[in-house]
Amino acid sequence: MLDEVRLTDQDLRDVDKIFIVACGTAYHAGMVAKYAIEHWTRIPCEVELASEFRYRDPVLDRSTLVVAISQSGETMDTLMAIRHAREQHSRVLAICNTNGSTIPRESDAVVYTHGGPEVAVASTKAFLTQLTACYLVGLYLAQVRGVKFNDEVAEVLDQLHASPAAIAETLSRMDPVRKLARSMVGAKTVLFLGRHVGYPMALEGALKLKELAYIHAEGFAAGELKHGPIALIDKDLQVVVVVPSPKRPLLHDKIVYNIQEIRARGAKTIVIHEDGDEAVVPYADFLIPVPELPILLQPLVAAIPLQVFAAELADALGYDVDQPRNLAKSVTVE
């Protein structure tokens, strides 16, 4: 059951393409959602920066579902994107934290994230609740369209119900991450790598470090390392790697090889990995184990050390982690 879905089941069965539009952190939540929604529903799904969406003349029609993600519900780029979509007669579903804000009011349906007020400018719990809402939308579509049996949907919901305990467990382990962050006060740049859902997490980790600590950071798909970015790797660089579950050996083995490539060139490797994953241990300078979750849900725990790392490094540098310079909580201009 979703909050306010003013779309019939037949409307959702008619959907043949999904666009997710969002900005910043919400965009990274949308990138994770693409993996889950396509896997569960088999509907083609694209993720677009809301600021670019309407300017490239996207192909939209009545069978297109546009999912707009915004914490405030007032993000002007996202609002203009959904207005463009509605002019093309597409259906719009909003994922939002602020009850009664503009984006939900102008959408055909809304899923509220119920995250409570996010005091800090940089989204943290808003990101986790956006991820969860995206998972629920994907499961809802799969259920309505009959591509997943009820027991399959129930299994994923049980895993989602277990995730708060996994998040709490992850938070309880963060003291070594805080110590690591404080040891990196002199860092000039940090790279983040990931594969599959770890790639958007790498982007989010880099964004948090830029927002809070004002340190240059970049996130890459790990497979792209050899196509140029490996030229950046040297002994003075720190590289954070988000490792997928060893239960996906093809993905896992490739990223272990990436870590070996980085170590061979002298860079320091900081590895976020699943409990019990021993294959990464010989190649990591610093290990950050997180509780086991299914690979599509792993971002719910992988995000925590990335957020804590950025906040602690910013605090060590003497910056206000709640009010980063030049940023506003709600971006109400295009």
Side-chain angles (χ1 to χ4, degrees):
M1 297 294 292
L2 302 184
D3 288 307
E4 296 176 24
V5 179
R6 298 177 291 275
L7 295 169
T8 67
D9 287 358
Q10 189 57 50
D11 287 336
L12 296 174
R13 291 188 193 102
D14 290 341
V15 169
D16 60 15
K17 187 171 186 178
I18 298 170
F19 281 104
I20 299 174
V21 293
C23 303
T25 286
Y27 173 72
H28 299 151
M31 290 180 72
V32 175
K34 172 186 168 71
Y35 288 92
I37 289 172
E38 287 195 338
H39 179 69
W40 290 334
T41 71
R42 311 312 297 163
I43 307 171
C45 181
E46 294 187 28
V47 190
E48 296 258 359
L49 290 165
S51 56
E52 291 289 328
F53 183 65
R54 66 193 180 113
Y55 299 109
R56 69 165 189 81
D57 192 21
V59 179
L60 301 165
D61 59 29
R62 189 68 180 157
S63 298
T64 307
L65 178 67
V66 175
V67 178
I69 309 174
S70 170
Q71 190 282 142
S72 67
E74 303 292 345
T75 310
M76 187 56 68
D77 287 316
T78 309
L79 179 58
M80 298 309 292
I82 69 165
R83 285 176 177 170
H84 177 73
R86 297 206 68 181
E87 287 170 4
Q88 308 300 314
H89 308 294
S90 294
R91 298 171 174 90
V92 176
L93 185 153
I95 292 174
C96 183
N97 191 40
T98 309
N99 203 311
S101 52
T102 306
I103 289 172
R105 288 202 316 268
E106 296 197 17
S107 300
D108 298 298
V110 56
V111 179
Y112 286 110
T113 56
H114 303 287
E118 176 100 84
V119 177
V121 168
S123 288
T124 50
K125 68 178 180 181
F127 176 65
L128 297 183
T129 52
Q130 285 167 353
L131 282 176
T132 306
C134 287
Y135 293 140
L136 293 177
V137 168
L139 291 170
Y140 188 76
L141 282 166
Q143 178 178 280
V144 166
R145 294 166 67 89
V147 293
K148 271 199 172 297
F149 295 115
N150 286 343
D151 59 338
E152 293 175 306
V153 173
E155 181 183 2
V156 182
L157 285 173
D158 287 343
Q159 293 161 350
L160 281 171
H161 279 299
S163 64
I167 291 167
E169 170 67 20
T170 307
L171 280 166
S172 73
R173 304 177 183 184
M174 286 298 101
D175 283 348
V177 176
R178 293 185 177 95
K179 186 175 179 181
L180 170 71
R182 290 189 172 272
S183 74
M184 289 175 56
V185 164
K188 300 297 182 188
T189 188
V190 180
L191 297 188
F192 294 78
L193 299 179
R195 284 182 182 267
H196 196 255
V197 291
Y199 168 43
M201 299 316 300
L203 295 175
E204 178 62 9
L207 178 61
K208 283 291 158 282
L209 204 58
K210 286 181 272 199
E211 284 181 304
L212 299 181
Y214 318 144
I215 292 173
H216 174 258
E218 286 195 64
F220 294 105
E224 287 298 293
L225 189 68
K226 58 187 172 292
H227 296 293
I230 200 166
L232 295 169
I233 307 295
D234 64 20
K235 62 182 177 57
D236 298 318
L237 191 68
Q238 287 89 10
V239 184
V240 179
V241 185
V242 183
V243 178
S245 169
K247 292 177 181 173
R248 294 288 294 271
L250 182 62
L251 274 173
H252 182 268
D253 293 351
K254 286 186 177 296
I255 208 158
V256 170
Y257 175 68
N258 293 137
I259 298 169
Q260 291 173 306
E261 286 182 306
I262 295 161
R263 277 289 294 273
R265 288 157 178 81
K268 181 178 181 180
T269 54
I270 301 162
V271 176
I272 299 171
H273 68 103
E274 187 178 284
D275 282 341
D277 182 1
E278 297 298 322
V280 298
V281 173
Y283 312 112
D285 293 295
F286 190 88
L287 290 161
I288 305 174
V290 294
E292 180 182 345
L293 282 178
I295 189 166
L296 287 170
L297 307 188
Q298 189 197 40
L300 291 170
V301 288
I304 304 298
L306 297 172
Q307 294 170 348
V308 170
F309 175 76
E312 196 69 22
L313 183 47
D315 185 63
L317 290 166
Y319 301 134
D320 183 346
V321 296
D322 290 328
Q323 297 291 329
R325 68 189 183 200
N326 307 330
L327 296 177
K329 185 62 196 167
S330 181
V331 183
T332 55
V333 293
E334 270 197 284

